[in-house]
Amino acid sequence: MEIIAYWIGSTMMIVAPLFKITTWIILIIVGLIILTHQALSNNLYNLVFLNLCSILIYSLRFRKEQKKEKITL
């Protein structure tokens, strides 16, 4: 069952750029969370750190894009 979740996480990151910016950022973050779980279970701490940094950066970008969308509405 976990392997299916890992494939879903990877797929979410692949198809994310096909959507508008706020949607793809959410898909990237969810995909990274799933892949972080996989890296943790395999004791790949360098990838865990990389994924956590990416999640933080994409979260900040998401907040910035949300503010920009509110201004244009």
Side-chain angles (χ1 to χ4, degrees), residues 6-73:
Y6 301 150
W7 278 100
I8 291 171
S10 298
T11 305
M12 290 174 78
M13 293 186 65
I14 292 169
V15 301
L18 301 175
F19 298 96
K20 69 180 204 170
I21 188 89
T22 52
T23 305
W24 78 255
I25 291 174
I26 292 170
L27 290 174
I28 290 284
I29 291 171
V30 172
L32 282 168
I33 289 170
I34 294 170
L35 294 177
T36 301
H37 179 271
Q38 180 184 21
L40 272 173
S41 63
N42 291 319
N43 298 324
L44 301 171
Y45 299 114
N46 58 336
L47 289 178
V48 172
F49 179 73
L50 177 66
N51 289 347
L52 291 176
C53 289
S54 298
I55 290 168
L56 176 66
I57 291 168
Y58 280 117
S59 297
L60 294 174
R61 174 86 189 269
F62 180 73
R63 288 183 58 203
K64 181 180 174 184
E65 291 297 327
Q66 273 191 324
K67 288 179 184 177
K68 195 187 308 183
E69 283 184 359
K70 286 181 183 177
I71 292 171
T72 57
L73 293 178

